[in-house]
Amino acid sequence: MNNELLPVITIGLNLNDERFEYSMKELSALALANNMHVVQELVQKLDHPDSATYFGKGKVELLKETAAANDVNTVVVNDELSPSQLRNLEKKTEVKIIDRTGLILEIFANRARTHEAKLQVQLAKLQYQLPRLHTSASQRLDQQTGSGGGGFTNRGSGESQLELNRRVIEKSITHIKEELKAIEKSDQTQRKQRSKSDIPNVALVGYTNAGKSTVMNQLVSRYGENVEKQVMVKNMLFATLDTSVRKLVFPDQKKMLLSDTVGFVSKLPHQLIKAFRSTLSEAANADLLVQIVDESDENKQLMMETTNETLKEIGIENIPMLTIFNKADLADEPRPIRAGNNLTMAALESSSIDELVKIIKEKIFKNYATVKLLIPFSDGSVVEYLNSNANVISTDYNAEGTEIKVELPDADLNRFEKYVINK
């Protein structure tokens, strides 16, 4: 398999950060997600990065020698480099340098499927490229921006290629922002329509590759309004970028919307924070967040911190949250075990999904009350509605009409208040 992947060297600076080893391990996983194979890792311990070349002089020489010895033409850096660091490092090592931000942007560009996701990633890439133009001033950007060079055929003869590239990118950024605004307006309309239906929204959030899509598919296969609408599951970082929303209907007729959101990763490029905010709009409007954590991963605590920090950074706060420690089967731990708002479980085991559903329902259907209604025979449509949309516990008939014991949310309780004979 490695023969099909691009061989790369990963490099990183340990600035006395407790997350360093974890971030380097994650960098290798990101490289693999971008069809790269790490053949060597070089690290250096410094108090601060070298302002010119990131690594110190001796380490830069070693990097050049290591790349030549391993016949490697690409180096992946664990941090975002300044334009000058990128240019100087490429010049001194004579290999292509991709920093962590550039790597994540490449992965996102390859994985984006919907028009909105593609636009968000394209915008982030252009914003990343703009200050780095002088590293490749001769490069034509018409194809990358999709502008086709339109609008620039009459440029002044004295205009440099660098100035042209900058104008092309700035124009493309403006155009994409306008298009995204229109999409966001349409999405807000759809979300308002969904909120009017009084169906609670539960969003799965968490670190990429923690098992969110597996959890979603287990729930959709059991309770999905359309069982065929399962989401892609792949053992890879950022296997999917698009937020999926599915409607679940439980046997007691209670309904909810379930969203599977894009996974998080540490050192998320600031260019993508805005894209994440838009992609995670379902989570921002959720009634309940379910954070999925990989219980079998030794870095799970750092992953939880990354998730919580990212949620805070994109403005998702003050929403109730359950924490699900998934993949307990891989850690050979007893399951399912609940402790308050935490659940240790394995997504592929029925007993775990049973317990998860129980906790979710407990949290989002608090506003339900069990009441007894007496509905005149002339109002048969009400009985029909309740049988189709509510959890009917018992039905009896008397001379006055149909007597129904039923569970109702606040909205329906207010709607059928005149029929209530016992609360």
Side-chain angles (χ1 to χ4, degrees):
M1 181 183 174
N2 288 346
N3 293 334
E4 303 168 5
L5 304 178
L6 177 71
V8 299
I9 295 171
T10 54
I11 67 173
L13 281 181
N14 186 349
L15 306 175
N16 297 311
D17 182 0
E18 62 171 5
R19 300 188 187 191
F20 176 70
E21 286 186 15
Y22 156 64
S23 69
M24 287 299 293
K25 179 182 173 185
E26 184 181 84
L27 186 67
S28 293
L30 287 167
L32 182 61
N34 201 42
N35 299 314
M36 295 171 169
H37 167 55
V38 179
V39 298
Q40 190 87 26
E41 179 185 285
L42 285 182
V43 300
Q44 185 174 27
K45 198 163 186 176
L46 291 176
D47 291 329
H48 55 81
D50 186 286
S51 59
T53 55
Y54 181 71
F55 266 0
K57 186 178 179 182
K59 213 69 170 180
V60 172
E61 277 299 316
L62 178 60
L63 175 59
K64 182 179 179 180
E65 292 167 9
T66 305
N70 288 276
D71 196 24
V72 168
N73 297 313
T74 305
V75 170
V76 181
V77 188
N78 195 32
D79 293 291
E80 181 173 323
L81 301 184
S82 69
S84 60
Q85 285 174 326
L86 193 64
R87 182 178 68 252
N88 293 336
L89 206 49
E90 283 192 337
K91 189 176 180 181
K92 289 183 180 297
T93 59
E94 298 176 2
V95 295
K96 180 182 179 183
I97 303 293
I98 302 174
D99 65 10
R100 189 184 180 98
T101 298
L103 177 64
I104 294 175
L105 287 170
E106 276 191 19
I107 295 170
F108 272 53
N110 292 333
R111 301 285 165 76
R113 293 291 174 265
T114 65
H115 182 53
E116 182 182 13
K118 288 176 181 177
L119 285 174
Q120 287 167 345
V121 175
Q122 191 179 5
L123 177 62
K125 283 184 74 175
L126 293 174
Q127 290 171 331
Y128 171 76
Q129 284 176 349
L130 197 55
R132 292 166 175 78
L133 278 181
H134 63 279
T135 64
S136 54
S138 62
Q139 183 183 10
R140 290 298 300 266
L141 293 174
D142 302 297
Q143 280 189 316
Q144 293 180 39
T145 60
S147 67
F152 297 102
T153 52
N154 296 321
R155 65 182 182 272
S157 57
E159 184 172 33
S160 71
Q161 186 63 52
L162 175 61
E163 290 168 335
L164 171 64
N165 288 344
R166 182 172 285 113
R167 286 213 293 148
V168 169
I169 285 185
E170 288 173 345
K171 184 177 180 182
S172 294
I173 286 174
T174 301
H175 176 72
I176 292 171
K177 282 182 175 178
E178 288 172 356
E179 202 168 342
L180 281 170
K181 272 184 186 175
I183 292 173
E184 189 177 346
K185 192 174 180 181
S186 173
D187 288 346
Q188 284 175 349
T189 302
Q190 289 180 14
R191 282 195 295 275
K192 278 180 184 175
Q193 288 172 344
R194 284 206 294 267
S195 65
K196 283 179 185 175
S197 66
D198 294 313
I199 299 178
N201 187 353
V202 176
L204 303 177
V205 297
Y207 210 80
T208 184
N209 214 27
K212 297 188 305 302
S213 295
T214 301
V215 169
M216 182 162 193
N217 283 342
Q218 291 299 305
L219 292 168
V220 171
S221 66
R222 282 200 193 190
Y223 308 110
E225 195 172 49
N226 188 337
V227 177
E228 288 74 34
K229 285 192 173 181
Q230 298 197 16
V231 295
M232 186 181 77
V233 177
K234 197 171 184 180
N235 186 27
M236 182 179 285
L237 300 191
F238 298 123
T240 180
L241 299 183
D242 302 313
T243 299
S244 305
V245 182
R246 303 289 184 266
K247 186 177 181 181
L248 305 186
V249 182
F250 298 109
D252 60 6
Q253 299 299 333
K254 293 186 177 74
K255 301 175 181 69
M256 63 171 260
L257 296 173
L258 182 67
S259 311
D260 175 26
T261 62
V262 61
F264 299 148
V265 69
S266 65
K267 296 187 183 181
L268 185 69
H270 68 273
Q271 289 92 347
L272 279 174
I273 290 293
K274 179 106 190 223
F276 261 60
R277 187 181 291 116
S278 180
T279 304
L280 289 168
S281 54
E282 294 297 337
N285 291 279
D287 298 288
L288 177 69
L289 299 178
V290 178
Q291 181 180 175
I292 309 294
V293 180
D294 184 350
E295 175 67 6
S296 68
D297 196 302
E298 60 184 12
N299 296 302
K300 64 184 178 186
Q301 197 59 43
L302 293 173
M303 292 175 171
M304 290 172 68
E305 288 173 15
T306 294
T307 298
N308 292 329
E309 286 169 6
T310 306
L311 285 171
K312 189 174 181 180
E313 191 169 356
I314 60 181
I316 299 178
E317 296 183 89
N318 304 318
I319 298 176
M321 180 187 286
L322 299 177
T323 303
I324 307 303
F325 295 96
N326 188 33
K327 303 187 183 181
D329 49 332
L330 300 182
D332 199 25
E333 294 182 8
R335 61 209 178 263
I337 293 178
R338 180 181 180 181
N341 289 331
N342 298 343
L343 174 66
T344 302
M345 59 166 271
L348 295 175
E349 296 177 358
S350 295
S351 57
S352 288
I353 296 299
D354 289 341
E355 192 64 25
L356 175 60
V357 169
K358 182 180 174 184
I359 299 172
I360 289 176
K361 290 178 71 175
E362 178 186 302
K363 296 293 179 185
I364 64 172
F365 297 124
K366 283 180 179 178
N367 64 334
Y368 274 67
T370 301
V371 295
K372 193 174 280 188
L373 309 177
L374 179 59
I375 302 162
F377 292 123
S378 58
D379 291 348
S381 60
V382 175
V383 176
E384 190 178 325
Y385 171 84
L386 294 174
N387 283 327
S388 299
N389 297 281
N391 182 27
V392 175
I393 298 166
S394 65
T395 303
D396 291 305
Y397 302 95
N398 59 39
E400 298 175 58
T402 306
E403 201 172 280
I404 291 183
K405 189 176 183 181
V406 62
E407 268 191 293
L408 292 177
D410 289 342
D412 278 349
L413 188 57
N414 292 333
R415 184 178 169 190
F416 302 123
E417 180 72 35
K418 65 180 180 180
Y419 301 117
V420 175
I421 56 173
N422 168 262
K423 287 191 181 181

